[in-house]
Structure formats: C-alpha cells, structure tokens
Amino acid sequence: MQAVGISLLRSLDELIECHEIKSNLSEAIRSLKICATVMHLCVTANEYLTTDSYYPALKTLDIIERDYLHQIPARVLRVLLERQLPVCRAHIERRVNQEFSDWLVQIRGMAREIGQLSIGQASSARQREEELRGRQRQAEEQSRSGSRECVYILEMEDIDEDDSLLKFDLTPVYRAHYINTCLGLQDQFREYYYKNRHLQLNSDLQISSVQSFLECHQIYFSQIAGFFIVEDRVLRTASGLITSSQAENLWESAISKVNSVLEDQFSRMQTASHLLLVKDYVSLLGATLRRYGYQVGPLLDVLDKMRDKYHELLLNDCRRQINDVLANDKYEQMLMRKEYEYNMNVLAFHLQSTEIMPAFPYIAPFSATVPDCCRIVRSFIEDSVSFLSYGSHMDYYDLVKKYLDKLLISVLNEALLKLIRNPSLGMSQAMQIAANMTVLERACSFFAEHVGRLCGIPMRLVDSPHGILAAKDVLRKSQVVAHERMLELVKSKVDEFMALTAHINWTPDDPPQNGNVYLNEVIIYLETLTPSAQAILPIEAFDKWVKGVLNHISDCIINTLLSEEVRRFNVNAIMGLEADLRVLEAFADERFHNSGLDKLQSATNLKQSLAEARQLVNLILSNQPELFLNPVIREKNYNILDYKKVILIAEKYRDLPEKFFRGGSKQAAKKKGLDALVRRLRDLG
C-alpha cells in the first residue's frame, strides 16, 4: 500500500504542479492582455494627441485611468502611467489654451472686417429703405396729379441681412471651453475668457493718437461693431461660456466710453460736414448692433444732443454762402438762353408762373441770387434731414421745419434786409432785391414740399396749414420793407428834381407855355423807371409803389407852396402848376390802363394819388373859392385838402400887390373870395 501510495502521491504532486503552472500561465496571459490593452489605449491616445484630437484623447485617458490603471499588474507600467496621465492632461490643456490665445489675437484682427461688412449691410438696407420711400412718394405724387399710369407692385424681397456672410471660426473657443469643462476647469476658463475679452475691448475703445478722429472713426466704430457681433455669436452658441449679464456689462462699459469719446470729439468739430460724416457712421453702427439685440438708445441720444450744434454750424456755412451770393450778384434780371438753364434755375425750384415753356432767350423777373439761394436752402434741407434721420426721433419733420425757418428768417431774410437798408443801395438794385424777395417767398412752398418728401410726409399734410413755413409770412413782410425802401429812393430822386422849383418864377406875367422845367426831369425819370418796376414787381406791389411816388410828388407841390422860399405867387404860376398836373395825370392814367392795374379788384386810378395838389390848384383857380366852406361842395371837390394848409397858401395869394389883379372883375372877385375864405377859415380855426 505504501509502495502504491507513494506512486499516487508522486502523480498527485505532478498534478498539483501542473495546475499551478496552468494557473500561472492564465494569470500571465490575463496580465499580458491588460497590458496590451493599456498599451493599445496609450498608442491610441498618442495618435489623438498627434492629430490634435484632444477630446478623444481625454476620453481615452479617462478609460485608462478608470478601467485599467488599478488592474495593471506591472508595477513599473502602472507607476509610469500614474505619472504620465496628468502630464498628458496638462499638455492638452496647454494646447487648447494656446489655440484659444491664438484665436483671441486672430479674432481681434478680424473684428474690424466683420464690423465693416455688417455696417455695409446696414447701409445697403438703408439705401433700399430710401428707394422704397422714393417709390412711395412717386406713387403718391402720381396719385395727386391724377395720373392713371400708376403701377403698384408688392415686392416680396427679403431685406434681412445674411449673417452667413459674416464668416469667423469659433471652433477654438468651443474646443477650449469643452476641454476645460472636461478637465473641471470651466469656471477658471470662463473667467479667463471674460477677462481677456474685456481687456481687448478696453484697448479697442482707445482713440488713435496718430490719426485724427475724422480719419479713423470708421475703423474705430467698425472694430467695436465686430467685437460685439462676435460676442453675440459666442453668447448664443458657446453653451454658457459668457452670460447675458456679462455681455450687458461689456456693452454698458463700451457705450459709456463711446459716448464720452463722441461728446469730446463733437465738441472739437467746427465743420458741419465733418460732424455729419461721423454721425452717419454712428447711426449705421447703431442700426447694425440693434439687429443683434443691443440697446443703442444712449448712443443715439448723444447724436440728438449734437443737433443744435450741427445746425448752428450748418447755418454759419449757409450764412457765408448767402453773403457771398448777395455780394457777388449784379442785381440784373437773369437771362436764360437754353432750356436746360430754365430747368435748372426755374423749374427745379417751382419758380415758374405758368406751366407753358417760354420762348428763349428768356428774361426772368429775378436775378442770379434767387436760384443760388434756393440751391443753398435745398442743400441745407437735405443735410438737416441726413442728420436728423435714423436718430432716436422717428418723426423729425417738425424739427427740420424749425431749422429751415431759422435759416430763412435769421439768415436769408436778415441778409436781404441788411442789403436793402444799405445807404449806398441804388434804385435798380433795390427794385431787383424786392423782386427777388417776392420770388423767394413763392419758393417757400417748394422748400416745404421738399422737406415733406425727404421726411416721408404725405403731401396732403404738407399742404395743410401746419405745413406752411413761418418764413413765408416773414418774407412777405420784408417785401413791404423793400418796397418802402424803393419808395424812399424814388422820393429822394424826385426831391432832387423838385429842388428845381427854386428856380420857378412865382409871379410871372404870363403862364408857362410848356409847364415847368422840373416836371420834364420827373416825367423822364418815371417813364424810365416804371417799365422795369412793372416787369419785376407783383402787380399789387407795383400799384402801391406808383401811387406812393405820385402821392409824394403831390406832397412836394403842396410843400413847395407852403415853404418860406415861396412868399407870394400869382394865378399864372398856379396855371403853370395846373399844366404840370395835367401832364402827371396823363402819365398816371396811361400807366393805370396799360399796366393792368385797372383789372385789380377794387382798383383806383393812379390819378387819385395827385388829388391833393389837383384840389388845391382847382380851389385857387376857382372863381368862387369861398364855396370851400360849403360842406357838400367841400366833400365833393375838396375832401382831401387840409384847411390849415389852405389858409397858409391862400394868404400868399392874397398878399400880392394890387397890380396883379388889374386884369378885371374876375381877378378882383377871386381875390375877394380868397380873402373871405381865409377870414372864415381863421374864425373856424
């Protein structure tokens, strides 16, 4: 049994040894498989790192650490991996953060281009909007004119800008954010992102010290626009990398700095065109960023604060231009030889008095001042609308009207009044200026319509009482000043001719055969002057002017008889005055009928302006002057005469020596009648 048992024990030992060998071999195989798998994962991770596939690499490292690291039987390999896994993760973190840093530099360089492209899109949208308004105005004008050829088209045009044109890559941002999130560093990365972008924004908000703001303002605002367009994309697509409150903080800090820069730069500008250039780009910046949800109201408020300064600069520019125009004008009626000149100077401003095209050459009733000033005013309106449009005020029609009235009243009207009051002004110049004022008053309707068209106001509102410019009434009143100035100049010239009455013999033995010498000069002057006045003055103004001249001549005749230079006169002298009056009355009657004054409503003959002198002469030549005391006859024949003047003049006739009345009973009766008239008038006085 022992011998048999020893053999079995030996076999048992061999069996046990075989089982141990098998177990060892199985463990070795399992360890080798684990190590092979880990090595394969390490190779895969290396390949991912080589190809910059950081997310799969991180996932691979996580698998090694989570599923295999504690199972690796080879201590050396396990220790090596425990040491290298954090190194790999740190390498990935450095690489993605380096890519992100490179992106920060790159996107700052691209921001300007992004901003310029987006602002260009806003500008194109604005142009389309203005074209649409123009078509609407054209359709309205055709409707008002009764045209039946209007074609209305509903255009289904997509006016939304295509943001796909704004191409910029945010992949480094997404990857860096995600990798840092995977590494548990998302808060640190978000803070890092916000801090660096804030620093970039502060740098972008600094004004260039090399160029003037006017030269670099487009670059400046494009950079800002690009920055916030990028931030809007990051906010919407980067899964919480930046919060809405952080974006608002960036915008508020930027808008505060931009407003400060604008206020400072606008305060330095002294040229309206420069201010308008910057304003236009700022308004485009506002339109661009409003599309991305940014509150641009404070930005537009700064522009509104500058509107008074802008218009003051614009008024100063127009004042200089208008003064130059007035100083360089020859004040002669404008001659137009071609149709295009008529279109450019008359039809362009609705200055025509008839729709019929005149024959050429055409002589306008105004001088070159009128179309030149109209161009200045039209340019002012367009510049004013350009500044006030696309601001915080959607309805700026009343503002444009207010500034236009200021231009027409404070600048144009004042310049014309200053000119008309110039002591060295000649009669022909005064007459032409008065005619220009009349046409400029008529041009106010065109100016009001032009404002309405540019502001998109329906013409029915422009034609309402609210649409009438206050300057129209002011210019109308200034015409009265010009007409009075014309009258003053004519009176002054007439006074020169009437001074010749000092050479009249007031006690001639015979009546003058052809009237007095002074009258010839007066008639020649009036016949030379009145055709020009009739050609360029409105018919009502011409009527008033001629009557004023004739009335002044009548006053001069009365005042001559009242003056101390005429101490006595006889009937022959009065007969000479009567002959003068006949000539003047013939002139007045001829002008009344040939100039169209007789067609005026409630027209009165120009001869009535000579009524006082005529009634005085008739009284003195009357055989019964004492009938002046009869109320009925006085009201009928002598209603204009002042009895005090009659006393003074009749006394001079009465005081003549008796030799002047030896002509018979008629002269004696006339003298007695005048004596009785003087006594009765003195008693009544």
Side-chain angles (χ1 to χ4, degrees):
M1 287 178 64
Q2 186 174 3
V4 171
I6 291 172
S7 174
L8 290 173
L9 288 173
R10 188 178 294 113
S11 297
L12 180 60
D13 290 338
E14 290 176 357
L15 179 62
I16 291 171
E17 183 179 0
C18 287
H19 276 289
E20 289 179 353
I21 292 171
K22 179 182 177 181
S23 177
N24 290 336
L25 287 174
S26 296
E27 181 65 22
I29 291 171
R30 187 183 68 82
S31 297
L32 287 173
K33 286 182 178 180
I34 291 174
C35 291
T37 301
V38 170
M39 294 304 297
H40 176 71
L41 290 174
C42 289
V43 171
T44 302
N46 281 332
E47 290 176 352
Y48 285 144
L49 290 174
T50 302
T51 59
D52 296 334
S53 302
Y54 300 125
Y55 176 69
L58 274 180
K59 288 299 182 182
T60 303
L61 295 177
D62 288 342
I63 292 172
I64 293 173
E65 185 175 36
R66 183 183 65 249
D67 298 336
Y68 294 102
L69 185 61
H70 64 281
Q71 298 181 16
I72 296 175
R75 181 176 178 277
V76 175
L77 179 59
R78 185 173 64 251
V79 171
L80 176 64
L81 289 176
E82 288 175 348
R83 186 174 65 248
Q84 289 300 118
L85 286 176
V87 172
C88 289
R89 288 192 177 97
H91 171 74
I92 292 173
E93 179 187 354
R94 284 194 304 272
R95 289 297 300 272
V96 296
N97 287 343
Q98 181 59 47
E99 286 183 2
F100 173 72
S101 298
D102 294 341
W103 176 85
L104 285 175
V105 176
Q106 180 187 17
I107 201 64
R108 188 183 182 194
M110 293 178 60
R112 181 189 306 172
E113 182 180 348
I114 294 170
Q116 288 174 339
L117 181 59
S118 187
I119 290 175
Q121 291 175 346
S123 178
S124 299
R126 179 176 294 183
Q127 287 180 345
R128 288 195 297 272
E129 181 182 349
E130 290 176 351
E131 290 173 359
L132 178 60
R133 287 180 180 176
R135 290 196 292 270
Q136 289 174 339
R137 289 195 297 266
Q138 183 179 5
E140 180 185 352
E141 290 174 359
Q142 289 177 344
S143 176
R144 292 175 69 239
S145 64
S147 174
R148 299 189 178 184
E149 299 179 359
C150 302
V151 179
Y152 297 93
I153 301 175
L154 180 61
E155 295 187 358
M156 301 302 293
E157 180 182 0
D158 183 11
I159 64 172
D160 291 333
E161 301 298 339
D162 185 5
D163 282 345
S164 65
L165 297 176
L166 304 177
K167 295 181 180 179
F168 51 92
D169 186 15
L170 293 181
T171 301
V173 180
Y174 302 148
R175 180 157 56 182
H177 183 217
Y178 191 77
I179 294 301
N180 279 276
T181 300
C182 292
L183 294 173
L185 303 173
Q186 57 187 18
D187 292 338
Q188 294 91 321
F189 181 74
R190 289 171 181 173
E191 182 180 355
Y192 177 76
Y193 175 86
Y194 180 75
K195 180 180 178 181
N196 278 274
R197 289 295 281 166
H198 202 174
L199 290 174
Q200 284 188 341
L201 176 62
N202 290 336
S203 177
D204 291 341
L205 292 172
Q206 300 302 314
I207 298 296
S208 173
S209 59
V210 180
Q211 292 178 299
S212 68
F213 184 74
L214 187 66
E215 295 174 341
C216 69
H217 74 278
Q218 293 188 0
I219 296 174
Y220 178 75
F221 293 123
S222 297
Q223 187 74 29
I224 295 172
F227 178 92
F228 284 101
I229 291 171
V230 171
E231 285 307 298
D232 175 74
R233 183 80 63 85
V234 171
L235 177 65
R236 289 185 290 109
T237 62
S239 302
L241 175 58
I242 184 173
T243 64
S244 297
S245 61
Q246 288 176 322
E248 290 177 3
N249 290 337
L250 288 174
W251 174 245
E252 288 174 0
S253 65
I255 201 70
S256 176
K257 177 64 176 178
V258 169
N259 287 351
S260 177
V261 168
L262 284 175
E263 289 176 354
D264 177 63
Q265 294 299 324
F266 281 155
S267 66
R268 300 170 185 267
M269 292 182 183
Q270 299 302 321
T271 305
S273 59
H274 293 172
L275 206 151
L276 178 61
L277 188 65
V278 175
K279 178 268 169 188
D280 281 344
Y281 212 78
V282 172
S283 67
L284 287 173
L285 170 67
T288 299
L289 294 181
R290 186 188 288 113
R291 292 178 54 240
Y292 294 92
Y294 293 102
Q295 298 297 322
V296 297
L299 188 66
L300 301 180
D301 289 341
V302 174
L303 300 181
D304 285 340
K305 292 177 183 177
M306 293 296 111
R307 67 169 181 253
D308 285 338
K309 176 176 180 179
Y310 169 77
H311 283 91
E312 195 60 39
L313 294 174
L314 197 59
L315 286 171
N316 290 336
D317 290 343
C318 292
R319 183 178 287 107
R320 285 191 293 270
Q321 295 175 38
I322 288 174
N323 288 337
D324 290 342
V325 166
L326 296 179
N328 295 325
D329 194 6
K330 296 179 180 179
Y331 297 101
E332 298 174 353
Q333 289 178 261
M334 200 170 181
L335 176 64
M336 302 173 200
R337 301 183 182 278
K338 302 292 183 180
E339 183 177 344
Y340 78 90
E341 295 178 326
Y342 184 81
N343 294 334
M344 181 174 62
N345 295 305
V346 179
L347 295 182
F349 308 109
H350 300 179
L351 303 180
Q352 68 274 19
S353 56
T354 176
E355 296 300 325
I356 301 175
M357 183 66 68
F360 295 96
Y362 169 72
I363 300 178
F366 51 81
S367 68
T369 286
V370 171
D372 288 343
C373 287
C374 286
R375 291 185 189 94
I376 295 171
V377 175
R378 181 177 61 185
S379 176
F380 175 90
I381 294 171
E382 293 167 355
D383 290 342
S384 178
V385 170
S386 295
F387 189 88
L388 294 173
S389 59
Y390 306 105
S392 60
H393 290 280
M394 298 303 294
D395 183 10
Y396 47 88
Y397 170 68
D398 289 336
L399 288 174
V400 178
K401 266 187 59 186
K402 182 186 77 170
Y403 289 117
L404 175 58
D405 271 328
K406 191 172 183 180
L407 169 69
L408 294 174
I409 295 172
S410 301
V411 179
L412 180 59
N413 184 66
E414 287 300 321
L416 292 171
L417 287 178
K418 182 179 179 181
L419 186 64
I420 204 69
R421 290 166 179 159
N422 189 342
S424 62
L425 188 70
M427 181 58 211
S428 60
Q429 292 175 315
M431 191 180 301
Q432 189 60 67
I433 294 170
N436 291 348
M437 285 181 170
T438 302
V439 180
L440 287 171
E441 178 209 340
R442 192 162 67 243
C444 285
S445 299
F446 164 77
F447 299 146
E449 291 175 3
H450 195 50
V451 171
R453 281 194 297 270
L454 294 180
C455 295
I457 301 297
M459 285 298 107
R460 65 178 182 276
L461 297 181
V462 175
D463 295 336
S464 69
H466 175 71
I468 298 175
L469 295 172
K472 190 176 183 71
D473 186 56
V474 174
L475 285 169
R476 187 180 299 115
K477 293 178 180 177
S478 295
Q479 292 174 48
V480 177
V481 177
H483 298 157
E484 290 175 351
R485 178 62 173 154
M486 286 173 53
L487 195 55
E488 289 176 7
L489 293 172
V490 176
K491 287 179 179 179
S492 176
K493 192 65 176 178
V494 168
D495 288 341
E496 294 179 14
F497 298 135
M498 296 302 291
L500 298 175
T501 57
H503 304 296
I504 294 178
N505 180 7
W506 293 102
T507 58
D509 294 336
D510 299 304
Q513 294 297 319
N514 299 315
N516 294 296
V517 175
Y518 78 91
L519 184 66
N520 295 331
E521 301 293 338
V522 171
I523 290 297
I524 292 172
Y525 178 66
L526 292 180
E527 288 180 343
T528 303
L529 193 61
T530 49
S532 300
Q534 179 184 344
I536 63 177
L537 289 180
I539 189 68
E540 295 84 359
F542 176 69
D543 178 61
K544 184 177 179 181
W545 176 78
V546 175
K547 287 179 178 177
V549 174
L550 295 175
N551 188 66
H552 180 68
I553 294 174
S554 176
D555 291 342
C556 287
I557 294 173
I558 299 295
N559 292 332
T560 299
L561 293 174
L562 289 170
S563 66
E564 295 182 358
E565 285 76 11
V566 180
R567 298 183 179 181
R568 59 183 63 191
F569 55 84
N570 64 13
V571 69
N572 292 332
I574 299 302
M575 292 175 67
L577 292 179
E578 199 277 340
D580 296 342
L581 284 173
R582 285 200 307 271
V583 175
L584 288 168
E585 288 169 343
F587 168 82
D589 190 62
E590 184 268 336
R591 289 299 171 189
F592 179 72
H593 292 288
N594 292 342
S595 61
L597 295 177
D598 56 340
K599 295 180 177 60
L600 285 176
Q601 188 176 5
S602 65
T604 58
N605 199 305
L606 297 178
K607 292 193 297 183
Q608 296 299 319
S609 302
L610 300 166
E612 186 177 12
R614 166 53 67 189
Q615 290 180 9
L616 178 64
V617 169
N618 289 346
L619 177 63
I620 296 175
L621 294 179
S622 173
N623 292 326
Q624 295 177 302
E626 65 275 7
L627 292 178
F628 179 78
L629 298 172
N630 186 317
V632 177
I633 295 178
R634 181 174 178 178
E635 180 63 28
K636 180 180 179 181
N637 298 328
Y638 309 112
N639 59 314
I640 298 178
L641 288 181
D642 181 357
Y643 78 94
K644 294 180 180 180
K645 294 180 180 179
V646 172
I647 292 174
L648 295 175
I649 295 174
E651 283 180 338
K652 295 184 180 184
Y653 189 90
R654 186 198 62 182
D655 290 341
L656 293 174
E658 292 294 331
K659 65 178 182 178
F660 290 106
F661 298 96
R662 62 179 182 270
S665 60
K666 290 184 179 181
Q667 296 295 341
K670 184 187 298 293
K671 180 180 182 304
K672 290 179 181 180
L674 287 173
D675 289 343
L677 176 61
V678 169
R679 285 195 301 269
R680 292 291 302 277
L681 289 176
R682 284 191 179 279
D683 293 339
L684 293 174

